Amino acid sequence: MIYNHGCGGQWGWETTVAQFYYRQGFAVVTPDFSGRDGNKLGCAGGTEEESRRSSGEKSREGIYQAINPARLAARADDVMRVVDWLKTQTKLPIIISGHSEGCRTTYSINTSDPQIVGGACVKQGLQDTYEHTWKWNASIPMWQSLEEFDPWVMFGNNNISNVGFERKFTADPSKLTVVRVPGRTHDPLSHQDERTSLINWLNARVGMALTPGQNGFNYETTLPEIHQRLKDPR
């Protein structure tokens, strides 16, 4: 699993999602793009208000936002370099995923590599103004989650019915899975229906669904014993 963070950087959100994938049995690589407070490349700011103000300023500049295809192309190139490295390490299937701008990075990648078996876009849409950034190969399965009143997705005249990826998969709608959940948090995988849908989709991408003890070690059953030993070292 290659998991791409949003424009705000690799904060707690992204660590949480990486851990989700890890718990499902995936090895996770999380490329760290330039996205930190005070920089000119991400949505700088420690709060949603600061990030949105910064995002608006950079959108007016027309350079540093994902609407600029050159920005996404640079991130996509980074991701494909990770793919090239992974292919020297393993023949296992590769899934590319991302939250928010990390999703835009994912769907801006055009590849036919048979080792890439899917893309997973967490809480991001395809608005009309971003149509030119879509390059994903629609023969490769895609999963997408959308939140009904997500302020980072449902801006302008957009709503949950017109930012889905369906129009990109008309040739084979079975390649696309979209889950829509209530809320306005933009928090990735914050809804149980979202997590359940993604788990089912992931299990369909790999040869065997994760089961406890599959790799010879089930940490969930081992942790209580470790905790008890720490309490009572005798």
Side-chain angles (χ1 to χ4, degrees):
M1 178 70 65
I2 301 173
Y3 178 71
N4 304 308
H5 65 73
C7 67
Q10 187 78 358
W11 295 343
W13 272 355
E14 321 303 350
T15 301
T16 299
V17 180
Q19 290 173 342
F20 168 87
Y21 284 132
Y22 176 73
R23 289 195 299 271
Q24 304 312 312
F26 291 87
V28 188
V29 179
T30 55
D32 193 7
F33 303 110
S34 299
R36 290 291 184 270
D37 286 358
N39 72 70
K40 291 188 174 183
L41 299 178
C43 300
T47 67
E48 178 181 332
E49 181 182 1
E50 292 171 344
S51 293
R52 292 183 69 81
R53 183 173 62 249
S54 168
S55 175
E57 292 170 355
K58 289 165 185 170
S59 180
R60 287 189 292 274
E61 293 171 0
I63 299 173
Y64 300 117
Q65 287 294 65
I67 200 168
N68 178 358
R71 172 188 172 91
L72 286 185
R75 288 195 165 188
D77 182 66
D78 286 348
V79 173
M80 293 310 294
R81 287 177 182 271
V82 176
V83 170
D84 290 343
W85 173 78
L86 278 175
K87 292 177 66 173
T88 69
Q89 307 297 311
T90 180
K91 299 298 184 184
L92 290 173
I94 298 171
I95 296 174
I96 303 175
S97 179
H99 168 234
S100 196
E101 189 172 308
C103 165
R104 297 199 194 281
T105 300
T106 300
Y107 69 56
S108 74
I109 294 170
N110 182 7
T111 181
S112 298
D113 191 316
Q115 203 166 331
I116 297 176
V117 299
C121 275
V122 183
K123 283 195 169 76
Q124 185 53 273
L126 181 62
Q127 301 83 359
D128 290 343
T129 50
Y130 284 86
E131 192 79 28
H132 63 286
T133 64
W134 178 278
K135 293 184 172 61
W136 186 258
N137 180 350
S139 69
I140 300 175
M142 174 73 79
W143 179 91
Q144 178 192 24
S145 69
L146 290 168
E147 193 175 42
E148 188 174 8
F149 300 109
D150 189 332
W152 287 90
V153 179
M154 311 305 170
F155 52 80
N157 296 321
N158 291 301
N159 58 62
I160 201 169
S161 65
N162 64 14
V163 295
F165 297 162
E166 286 88 350
R167 64 187 181 275
K168 296 298 184 180
F169 288 85
T170 55
D172 187 356
S174 69
K175 297 291 186 181
L176 176 67
T177 299
V178 181
V179 58
R180 295 172 170 84
V181 297
R184 65 168 311 277
T185 67
H186 197 56
D187 291 350
L189 305 184
S190 58
H191 197 283
Q192 182 58 53
D193 287 350
E194 189 181 15
R195 296 189 296 272
T196 299
S197 174
L198 181 52
I199 289 171
N200 291 337
W201 183 87
L202 289 169
N203 286 342
R205 308 276 78 77
V206 297
M208 180 187 300
L210 178 68
T211 57
Q214 179 173 301
N215 61 358
F217 180 75
N218 182 0
Y219 62 87
E220 292 292 350
T221 58
T222 306
L223 281 175
E225 180 182 351
I226 295 174
H227 291 166
Q228 186 59 43
R229 290 183 182 180
L230 291 172
K231 291 177 182 179
D232 184 5
R234 294 174 298 176

